[in-house]
Amino acid sequence: MKTFYPKDLSTQEFYGLMQGAVAPRPIAFVSTIDKAGNVNLSPFSFFNLVSSQPPILIFSPLRRMRNNTTKHTLENILEVPEVVIHIVHFGMVEQMSLASTEYEKGVNEFEKAGFTQVVSNEVKPPRIKEAHVSFECKVNEVKSLGESGGAGSIVICEVLAAHVNEAIFDEAGVIDPNKLDAVARLGGNWYSRASGASLFQIPKPLRNLGIGIDQMPAEVRNSAILSGNNLGRLGNVEALPSEVEVAEFGKSAEVQEMRVRFKNDPDSLIDHLHLLAKEALDEDDVDRAWLILLQKT
């Protein structure tokens, strides 16, 4: 493990380290307008949801490190405290990247990047027609975090209206991540795509009072076969199977065959039981995994 201290690195070097580690980050594609009516459109990956009542989004434009100047987005917000925050999907990511170019003030990135402007309902900045999701917001506060190059300003945005493309909802009326096809930012030139094989589900612990890893039999807790993720899933059950259930499962052909095969090698029996349990976990069958793991050796 290598340790880094901000005081020992340049601002750019430590920024690169944080960008690479704190990832992936959602991207706020922000439209703003100044008092003269000039529109700006720019992406920011220092962005997230921080409250649902009131609905609050935050993002942070940094001061430029090379010359300590501020972004046009921030300058516009200080003049007209309203924004539209769009969620970037894969079908618009290259256009978003083009819009991040540091054009001169007054240049409309909607036009440069080929997006269609739509008049917003509640705020002055326009929104992107091609975006699947956009949030019209008033800016409640801008908090400066410093005056040197690389310092951010936290822009606290209260959502006044949300526009969602109906095509990305599933049958239950919930946003389908595969249809949203969101893009996230990593370090350097790297991005990630939140859809397809990269998606997975984990049951929420709040729905159960899981037994926890500390309450597992030592043989399971200290397994050389099961991963930390496997143990985390196993620890999310509310109770272990009963002795009757375990004994009944032990009569199954696969367990009986294993007992015969390793009758003189208990360590191998344990390893193979744990491998079989791991397969059950990979198939999302936690109950079966526990029935396998609790077989007496």
Side-chain angles (χ1 to χ4, degrees), residues 5-295:
Y5 296 95
K7 63 182 178 62
D8 297 331
L9 300 177
S10 69
T11 301
Q12 185 71 49
E13 288 171 331
F14 205 77
Y15 168 75
L17 188 151
M18 290 194 298
Q19 260 202 327
V22 184
R25 302 181 304 280
I27 302 169
F29 202 10
V30 181
S31 60
T32 57
I33 195 168
D34 65 13
K35 287 191 298 186
N38 296 305
V39 171
N40 182 266
L41 181 64
S42 187
F44 299 90
S45 68
F46 290 12
F47 161 60
N48 224 307
L49 162 70
V50 295
S51 173
S52 58
Q53 188 56 266
I56 300 291
L57 303 173
I58 62 169
F59 73 96
S60 178
L62 305 187
R63 300 178 73 94
R64 297 183 182 91
M65 295 180 206
R66 68 177 184 278
N67 59 12
N68 197 22
T69 55
T70 55
K71 303 287 182 68
H72 297 148
T73 297
L74 181 60
E75 295 168 2
N76 287 357
I77 287 169
L78 295 176
E79 291 186 12
V80 180
E82 298 177 342
V83 301
V84 181
I85 296 177
H86 308 84
I87 304 303
V88 177
H89 62 78
F90 186 74
M92 64 192 296
V93 67
E94 294 281 1
Q95 290 172 277
M96 176 222 68
S97 179
L98 178 58
S100 70
T101 303
E102 292 189 358
Y103 293 111
E104 293 294 323
K105 187 172 177 59
V107 172
N108 187 336
E109 287 85 0
F110 275 86
E111 297 173 357
K112 286 291 185 184
F115 288 116
T116 307
Q117 290 186 193
V118 177
V119 175
S120 296
N121 293 7
E122 304 295 332
V123 297
K124 294 182 180 66
R127 57 189 178 89
I128 302 171
K129 180 180 180 181
E130 294 79 7
H132 290 330
V133 181
S134 57
F135 297 99
E136 297 184 24
C137 308
K138 66 175 182 178
V139 175
N140 288 348
E141 183 181 353
V142 177
K143 181 175 178 57
S144 174
L145 301 177
E147 300 298 326
S148 58
S153 291
I154 299 176
V155 183
I156 301 174
C157 309
E158 182 174 345
V159 178
L160 303 179
H163 305 276
V164 184
N165 184 344
E166 290 179 280
I168 70 170
F169 287 119
D170 64 16
E171 294 178 356
V174 177
I175 291 176
D176 182 332
N178 282 296
K179 294 176 180 177
L180 175 61
D181 204 7
V183 170
R185 194 74 169 87
L186 291 87
N189 292 329
W190 290 100
Y191 291 79
S192 64
R193 187 176 182 180
S195 60
S198 65
L199 297 179
F200 58 93
Q201 297 187 63
I202 299 175
K204 289 185 180 295
L206 292 177
R207 295 178 182 172
N208 304 316
L209 187 60
I211 62 169
I213 294 173
D214 61 326
Q215 296 301 307
M216 293 179 187
E219 190 176 89
V220 175
R221 189 171 63 247
N222 300 321
S223 172
I225 305 296
L226 301 172
S227 69
N229 281 335
N230 293 150
L231 295 177
R233 179 62 66 90
L234 289 165
N236 196 35
V237 298
E238 293 181 277
L240 296 178
S242 69
E243 291 185 6
V244 173
E245 291 172 316
V246 173
E248 188 63 30
F249 185 83
K251 298 175 185 178
S252 64
E254 61 184 340
V255 174
Q256 289 297 320
E257 185 277 332
M258 216 175 275
R259 289 190 186 282
V260 172
R261 188 162 27 126
F262 299 109
K263 64 181 179 180
N264 297 319
D265 189 354
D267 289 340
S268 290
L269 175 58
I270 291 172
D271 286 349
H272 280 77
L273 286 170
H274 286 203
L275 285 168
L276 188 61
K278 189 176 182 71
E279 290 178 10
L281 289 169
D282 290 342
E283 295 169 359
D284 206 26
D285 194 341
V286 181
D287 293 338
R288 182 167 178 268
W290 268 119
L291 289 170
I292 295 167
L293 290 169
L294 294 176
Q295 293 304 308

